[in-house]
Amino acid sequence: MQRPSSFEFALNGERCQLALDVLNKYNVPGPRYTSYPTAPEWSDDFGPADFERAMREADASTSPRPVSLYFHIPFCERLCLFCGCNVVINKRKEVAIPYLEHLRREIERISQFVSPHREVIQLHWGGGTPTYLSPAQIEDLFGCISEHFRFAPDAEIGVEVDPRVTTEEQVRLLRRLGFNRISLGVQDFSPLVQKTVRRIQPYEETKALVDLCREVGFESINIDLIYGLPHQTPESFADSVEKVIAIDPDRIAMYSYAHVPWLKKQQRSFEKYIPEGVDKFLIFRTGIQLFTEAGYRYIGMDHFAKPDDELTIAQQNKTLHRNFQGYSTRANADLYAMGVSSISGFHRAYAQNYRDVPSYYEALDRDRLPTMRGWWLTEDDIIRRAVIMRMLCHRVIHKPEIEAEFNIRFDEYFAEERSHLEELQTDGLITMDEEYIRATPLGCVFLRNIGMAFDAYLRRREQDRPIFSKTL
Ligand SMILES: C[S@@+](CC[C@H](N)C(=O)[O-])C[C@H]1O[C@@H](n2cnc3c(N)ncnc32)[C@H](O)[C@@H]1O
Ligand code: SF4
């Protein structure tokens, strides 16, 4: 079948025209910029002593930043074949017992570096599946965290759950403990897709769980979908999207399927059924079209929210931020992450824990922090991170603002980037004038690519082995 040479779609009420050659040119491997520099650039020489120093510095600052906490619960009962997360699959729930013991030790250590006057404004449990834990374990873990950190009264407290394994008792308990945000994994409702990726999840079960979350008073309910899964078509995905709209969540994360078989071998099992290139884009377009027609705003980087949601308002007020969990409304906080593979992020440093459970246990058993690698940011990293994050969050870079903040002349500092930016402008992804670099409505679909123009490491990196998934 002959493909059209360009595609039309509307984004937040504005019409966009995407030429096929532009789509092909920009649909390349690229980072998601949950950090800058991105994790592959970090160094194995960065160890526990560096992380301790970073935490001491953060705590001793004359204007210490608020605290954000992340806890990684890696366990799932079964493996979804598409999964790209750091998971430990085990039906024997006893495995959580030593894990929680080690997590407690890590909490005790880390909390010593956080002065009691610093408030936690954000807490997130991710995974894996945090509701793999029993109600008693959930209560114990939350109790331990509350003993060691002080929460702001309006803290954002969130958890990721898998509707297939989450019970009413767990949902009521999470809410009672103070969780006010919940994110449910769905991915796709098509029976063929679900069978192929080994994740059978009936619509009614998911809807019932969302209704329960609403009844018990969660302030924000998010649903995760993935576009680009095997056997998906625009028509089949439209059906999943309509079902999600009927459930009426406050936010939607519609992730681009990250195909990384060099890291996750099981993804090869359905490789030949994966929609790619234009086929994948048409599925994405279906999602954008239907969600925005239903009244959701496209925030960027796969995220939608209702017009009165704080995420949408924060984007309008330019107070939106980005960290390892994606977009956030909370001001630049220092992120202390605990659990296997988790990543902490400060003004001047990133630190990642061991990605395998035995190494994580061994470090804590030897009374050490389980830091595997990390990075001290240079002044140049800090400037580029600010520029990239502004584009990803606000879709606009106000040059005088960056100049005042970092005491540089923007056009001189980024002289080498000029030709790359001009190319983005010619292709209709950005507009530029004396003061502003703005993403066009079409550019909002390619924010990762616009960020890449400012990434000093990408150019130096050898492109001989795959690292990132494709941008679309
Ligand atoms: C930790 S899981 C969410 C909670 C729970 N484990 C579940 O699956 O319901 C986080 C989300 O990552 C997304 N995800 C996992 N693997 C992915 C991949 N290969 N590409 C894109 N998104 C992926 C899914 O949307 C998933 O809901
Ligand atoms: S339940 Fe979630 S984390 Fe676990 S394997 Fe499936 S997608 Fe991955």
Side-chain angles (χ1 to χ4, degrees), residues 440-456:
T440 61
L442 178 62
C444 292
V445 172
F446 292 101
L447 292 175
R448 279 162 89 166
N449 303 77
I450 305 175
M452 283 157 74
F454 294 98
D455 187 331

Side-chain angles (χ1 to χ4, degrees), residues 213-236:
C213 293
R214 201 164 284 128
E215 180 203 315
V216 299
F218 277 93
E219 285 163 36
S220 174
I221 302 173
N222 176 81
I223 282 191
D224 289 343
L225 287 179
I226 302 182
Y227 69 91
L229 288 175
H231 295 297
Q232 259 178 359
T233 62
E235 295 72 30
S236 78

Side-chain angles (χ1 to χ4, degrees), residues 151-210:
F151 282 80
D154 61 345
E156 195 178 275
I157 306 184
V159 60
E160 290 169 21
V161 306
D162 174 351
R164 297 171 304 160
V165 301
T166 305
T167 63
E168 177 169 347
E169 186 186 1
Q170 286 171 317
V171 170
R172 290 190 185 278
L173 170 65
L174 287 164
R175 183 69 197 108
R176 182 163 60 72
L177 291 173
F179 282 81
N180 46 32
R181 272 137 228 280
I182 193 159
S183 176
L184 294 82
V186 169
Q187 329 312 346
D188 192 293
F189 281 120
S190 145
L192 175 59
V193 175
Q194 290 195 354
K195 187 164 161 252
T196 309
V197 298
R198 290 214 201 124
R199 182 181 173 119
I200 306 297
Q201 180 170 340
Y203 172 72
E204 294 308 329
E205 179 187 86
T206 309
K207 182 170 184 325
L209 195 72
V210 172

Side-chain angles (χ1 to χ4, degrees), residues 49-241:
D50 292 284
F51 186 34
E52 288 192 8
R53 198 176 114 211
M55 289 194 284
R56 267 196 210 96
E57 271 184 16
D59 211 47
S61 157
T62 45
S63 49
R65 288 140 53 98
V67 175
S68 177
L69 301 176
Y70 174 79
F71 294 87
H72 193 74
I73 313 295
F75 305 109
C76 297
E77 290 174 36
R78 280 158 293 174
L79 178 67
C80 310
L81 295 181
F82 61 81
C83 184
C85 305
N86 187 294
V87 288
V88 173
I89 307 298
N90 204 325
K91 283 208 170 66
R92 289 179 32 251
K93 297 271 187 111
E94 305 88 83
V95 289
I97 298 169
Y99 187 78
L100 291 169
E101 276 166 23
H102 286 84
L103 199 52
R104 173 182 282 275
R105 268 189 247 167
E106 199 185 3
I107 293 169
E108 283 163 3
R109 278 198 83 109
I110 297 282
S111 62
Q112 289 167 8
F113 293 91
V114 182
S115 304
H117 65 268
R118 295 175 70 198
E119 284 190 327
V120 176
I121 57 160
Q122 194 176 40
L123 164 80
H124 190 82
W125 286 8
T129 302
T131 44
Y132 182 91
L133 304 179
S134 69
Q137 288 171 329
I138 290 175
E139 195 153 9
D140 273 1
L141 176 58
F142 195 79
C144 175
I145 298 167
S146 316
E147 271 167 37
H148 288 86
F149 297 95
R150 197 165 63 85
F151 282 80
D154 61 345
E156 195 178 275
I157 306 184
V159 60
E160 290 169 21
V161 306
D162 174 351
R164 297 171 304 160
V165 301
T166 305
T167 63
E168 177 169 347
E169 186 186 1
Q170 286 171 317
V171 170
R172 290 190 185 278
L173 170 65
L174 287 164
R175 183 69 197 108
R176 182 163 60 72
L177 291 173
F179 282 81
N180 46 32
R181 272 137 228 280
I182 193 159
S183 176
L184 294 82
V186 169
Q187 329 312 346
D188 192 293
F189 281 120
S190 145
L192 175 59
V193 175
Q194 290 195 354
K195 187 164 161 252
T196 309
V197 298
R198 290 214 201 124
R199 182 181 173 119
I200 306 297
Q201 180 170 340
Y203 172 72
E204 294 308 329
E205 179 187 86
T206 309
K207 182 170 184 325
L209 195 72
V210 172
D211 291 345
L212 175 67
C213 293
R214 201 164 284 128
E215 180 203 315
V216 299
F218 277 93
E219 285 163 36
S220 174
I221 302 173
N222 176 81
I223 282 191
D224 289 343
L225 287 179
I226 302 182
Y227 69 91
L229 288 175
H231 295 297
Q232 259 178 359
T233 62
E235 295 72 30
S236 78
F237 195 59
D239 184 61
S240 294
V241 170

